[in-house]
Amino acid sequence: MAPRRREHDAHAVELVEVAELDDDFDVGQTGATGRTTGSAGAHPRGADAGRTGAGSSTAGAGRAPLGTGAVGEQGRTRGRRVRLVLAVVLLACGAGASLAVGAVLERARADRVAAQAGGLWPVASEPASLWRASTGEGPPAAVEGQVVLTGPEGTVTARDITTGGELWTARLPPGTTTCGPDLLDPGVQGSPLVCVTDRGASAGAGRSGDRFPFLVTVLDQAGQVVGSRALTDGVEAAVPLAGGRVATAVLGTDGVVVTWEGALDGAVEQVRTVGVTPAPVDAVGSTGAEGDSTAPVEDVGLVAARGLLHVRSGEVSETFDAAGEPSAEFSSVQARGWLQEGSLPGGSSARVVDDRRTGQEDRVDVVGPDGRRRFSVAGEPFVPQVTDDGPPQVLVVRMPGFTGYDASTGHRLWHREEWPEVLWLQTDDVVVVESGSRLLALETRTGREVWQRWLPTEIVRVFTDGDSVLLATLGDELGGTGGASTSVVSVSLFDGRTEWRMTLDGDYYEVVSAQGVLFAMTRTEVVRLGRGTRRYRVGDLSHR
């Protein structure tokens, strides 16, 4: 989806082919448009081996050259078509109808972008702190339009995600309560609120105080209890999941048995066994456990975060996705991208083949809905952390270097010799990768470099509203602060210039996106960031 031009950016679209920005994100040193007039080798580091040039080739035969624009001919063509449609409507129905159609198209686009993991509603200016609330006894949960917080003595409170106003408060049985899905779970939409209360962990009570200590409660969006049930005897841990489900852990003979089941009906969806850590023994084979020849059982832990379930038993841990399949991605389910079933054009799926024992190189097989292989490409999948919408039209793999292939035909479109660390963002028009200390934006269909900038700090997470890429960075970027800080930098996808920057000092935790909006999470509170009526200089996020 091509980024739309904002009115105040219209003067910046006639760009040089490569816009190299400075080291410290200071747009004021690059001129009003964010462009530089120096040569590509003017930076102190000189020309890197991975730069476009002799080491880069394109295979987009038949495509018109990019010229001097920064967003690509394909994006411009799409924009011209939209303008043509609007012109016809204008002639037929008048200006009022044209504006109405434009507003509908723009809203539909914003809806699609915001619905993606890492997607945001338009963030045209530096956000303000709209509201904040204590996270209470556990991590924030969410249902559509609400942030749900747990408090002492079994209280659960829902706040409006936009205003922070309290919508309802419910009181559950005493104990340690965890509600879900968690705030950052991509499966929040359409999910009911599920709370798991460990009644055996209440003050003064042990596991023997209640034979069935875990109680599951499902609430609707008004805070009314839909139903509840006690989990079976022997459950060691339980956590709520999206889709009206819970995960439970029971000690079995071969390890910890983890079950994905319906919150109220207990219907089993998936079962996995995770091995436990054996207890150390002495020279005569004793474990040191008095009166028991068996090994002591390590504590079992379950944590649901960002749509993934993390299982721990002693030093053994495994991570599973929402369907109960093993996952190598600990931090974010969105990193699976087009590797998810049926996520390629036409409902096709990707199959990763990695068999180093036979000497075969890594490859990706694309299989149609009928199960037949359509084509294969050599290399390991290079999946974007964030997209703006829909199935990718280009598959990017590393082999080494990295290459773009047409996602429908497998035709090679372009290749670059460098090997970047992260593919942060991919849209129909722009691919944004991190390579060394640089952030590179490439045209998705041609691999042509649109802009680049140097990174003085570490990127920890990215977001997009379709026009910009928002970088959450970590580092001692501000002189005299005496320590590291978290910043959010908005970078235009058109030309790589800085649009705005905010800095979070003090007791920060992380910047995250949920339901299309930004939050700053500290260890004690959640802060909603968004449009405000005043310019915002973010200071200490803790209460003053």
Side-chain angles (χ1 to χ4, degrees), residues 17-18 20 40-41 46-58 66 402 414-418 433 435 438 440-443 446-452:
E17 188 169 302
V18 176
E20 288 209 16
D48 292 338
R51 294 288 303 278
T52 307
S56 175
S57 64
T58 63
L66 182 66
F402 66 117
W414 51 265
H415 175 74
R416 290 178 64 96
E417 291 298 330
E418 61 196 315
V433 300
S435 180
R438 296 176 301 156
L440 303 177
L442 312 175
E443 234 194 357
T446 68
R448 181 189 291 270
E449 190 169 302
V450 179
W451 52 262
Q452 73 167 271

Side-chain angles (χ1 to χ4, degrees), residues 144-457:
E144 288 184 69
Q146 301 178 11
V147 178
V148 181
L149 306 168
T150 56
E153 301 179 355
T155 58
V156 179
T157 302
R159 293 182 176 271
D160 184 276
I161 197 170
T162 301
T163 66
E166 184 175 315
L167 298 175
W168 53 262
T169 296
R171 187 174 295 277
L172 302 181
T176 301
T177 296
T178 303
C179 295
D182 73 274
L183 179 64
L184 306 182
D185 194 321
V188 164
Q189 185 175 4
S191 290
L193 182 68
V194 179
C195 296
V196 175
T197 302
D198 185 356
R199 295 175 293 180
S202 60
R207 281 277 181 251
S208 59
D210 193 324
R211 186 180 176 188
F212 305 99
F214 289 99
L215 180 69
V216 177
T217 306
V218 177
L219 300 92
D220 62 19
Q221 284 202 313
Q224 300 299 312
V225 174
V226 176
S228 64
R229 75 176 175 105
L231 298 181
T232 58
D233 188 18
V235 172
E236 293 290 329
V239 293
L241 303 173
R245 301 174 300 157
V246 294
T248 64
V250 177
L251 289 172
T253 56
D254 297 326
V256 177
V257 179
V258 182
T259 304
W260 285 253
E261 59 188 70
L264 291 181
D265 60 14
V268 175
E269 299 181 4
Q270 181 66 276
V271 178
R272 297 289 183 182
T273 300
V274 177
V276 298
T277 304
V281 297
D282 59 20
V284 296
S286 172
T287 63
E290 296 184 4
D292 189 358
S293 60
T294 60
V297 176
E298 298 281 3
D299 289 338
V300 176
L302 296 179
V303 177
R306 292 187 171 92
L308 300 178
L309 178 67
H310 312 298
V311 184
R312 176 194 54 77
S313 176
E315 296 180 356
V316 176
S317 63
E318 288 194 32
T319 299
F320 301 92
D321 64 16
E325 298 299 325
S327 174
E329 299 293 338
F330 184 88
S331 61
S332 176
V333 71
Q334 68 198 53
R336 294 193 63 208
W338 49 264
L339 292 179
Q340 299 181 70
E341 190 74 21
S343 61
L344 296 181
S348 295
S349 301
R351 302 283 188 268
V352 180
V353 180
D354 180 8
D355 193 353
R356 293 184 175 88
R357 293 173 300 177
T358 62
Q360 292 182 351
E361 62 182 353
D362 296 348
R363 76 172 192 271
V364 177
D365 293 341
V366 174
V367 180
D370 57 0
R372 301 179 61 181
R373 189 174 68 179
R374 300 179 58 189
F375 61 85
S376 297
V377 297
E380 64 176 8
F382 199 27
V383 181
Q385 296 286 315
V386 178
T387 66
D388 65 345
D389 174 49
Q393 301 305 308
V394 174
L395 301 184
V396 183
V397 300
R398 294 188 290 189
M399 56 183 298
F402 66 117
T403 309
Y405 293 90
D406 187 290
S408 298
T409 66
H411 176 66
R412 187 173 115 157
L413 301 173
W414 51 265
H415 175 74
R416 290 178 64 96
E417 291 298 330
E418 61 196 315
W419 197 338
E421 294 84 5
V422 185
L423 201 174
W424 284 115
L425 172 67
Q426 180 174 335
T427 73
D428 282 351
D429 299 291
V430 182
V431 170
V432 179
V433 300
E434 182 178 349
S435 180
S437 297
R438 296 176 301 156
L439 198 66
L440 303 177
L442 312 175
E443 234 194 357
T444 306
R445 294 289 302 184
T446 68
R448 181 189 291 270
E449 190 169 302
V450 179
W451 52 262
Q452 73 167 271
R453 63 185 303 158
W454 301 90
L455 299 172
T457 55

Side-chain angles (χ1 to χ4, degrees), residues 27-83:
V27 69
Q29 297 182 14
T30 63
T33 63
R35 293 179 289 178
T36 58
T37 57
S39 66
H43 193 276
R45 290 184 57 177
D48 292 338
R51 294 288 303 278
T52 307
S56 175
S57 64
T58 63
R63 292 181 53 79
L66 182 66
T68 60
V71 297
E73 191 62 33
Q74 183 185 18
R76 288 200 189 93
T77 301
R78 186 183 294 111
R80 285 195 292 267
R81 290 171 181 168
V82 171
R83 288 193 293 271

Side-chain angles (χ1 to χ4, degrees), residues 1-22:
M1 178 167 296
R4 67 186 185 281
R5 293 188 181 90
R6 299 191 182 107
E7 292 180 2
H8 65 277
D9 288 339
H11 68 283
V13 299
E14 296 179 357
L15 303 174
V16 292
E17 188 169 302
V18 176
E20 288 209 16
L21 301 188
D22 54 40

